[in-house]
Amino acid sequence: MEEERARRVVETLRARNVFAHVKLPQAGITQYGIRVVLPDGREAIWDNDGTAGLEAQIMLNGILVGYVASIPDSENFGDGQIVEAIATADYDRPVGRSRPSTPRPPAATVPRSPSSFAQRLRGSFRG
């Protein structure tokens, strides 16, 4: 992402109360990125690797703890779509993803078996 675009996106994110900053390029990479500080101390680094698609690495104390996979067709996103993707991303999963637009039905629960091997073994000898 070019520097001017990164600055525009950060400014719009801040207007939406997202704690965002421009991430400066690293050695050998000429692309700027966006750093979003998350409430629990993690941070999301968006689009700082020079690839065409929009994706993020989720870091905690400099250690990779998750990521948001590349968003399909994001290489053609305008500023508004980038802002929306960053502001509404689901950062709470190890593999973060864009939040679905429609809620999913709850998953069916599987009945629990006895919790330990000893309990299962004792149950099999009862007659």
Side-chain angles (χ1 to χ4, degrees), residues 1-17:
M1 170 177 316
E2 303 85 30
E3 180 180 9
E4 282 304 312
R5 185 176 207 187
R7 293 192 186 284
R8 286 192 313 266
V9 169
V10 164
E11 187 175 309
T12 306
L13 285 166
R14 287 180 177 175
R16 290 182 64 168
N17 294 319

Side-chain angles (χ1 to χ4, degrees), residues 69-87:
S70 183
I71 299 170
D73 300 321
S74 59
E75 61 273 4
N76 300 317
F77 278 8
D79 290 359
Q81 292 168 302
I82 292 172
V83 167
E84 189 65 25
I86 292 172

Side-chain angles (χ1 to χ4, degrees), residues 93 97-107:
R93 297 180 179 206
R97 49 185 64 85
S98 297
R99 294 186 195 269
S101 57
T102 58
R104 296 181 186 165

Side-chain angles (χ1 to χ4, degrees), residues 1-3 5-7 9-10 13 21-26 29-36 43-58 67-71 74-79 82-83 85-86 91:
M1 170 177 316
E2 303 85 30
E3 180 180 9
R5 185 176 207 187
R7 293 192 186 284
V9 169
V10 164
L13 285 166
H21 307 276
V22 173
K23 175 86 169 125
L24 300 175
Q26 298 172 348
I29 299 176
T30 60
Q31 298 292 316
Y32 285 79
I34 297 170
R35 181 173 65 95
V36 175
E43 57 185 24
I45 309 298
W46 285 90
D47 205 29
N48 195 41
D49 60 0
T51 60
L54 186 63
E55 73 277 338
Q57 297 177 346
I58 312 301
Y67 64 94
V68 177
S70 183
I71 299 170
S74 59
E75 61 273 4
N76 300 317
F77 278 8
D79 290 359
I82 292 172
V83 167
I86 292 172
Y91 299 105

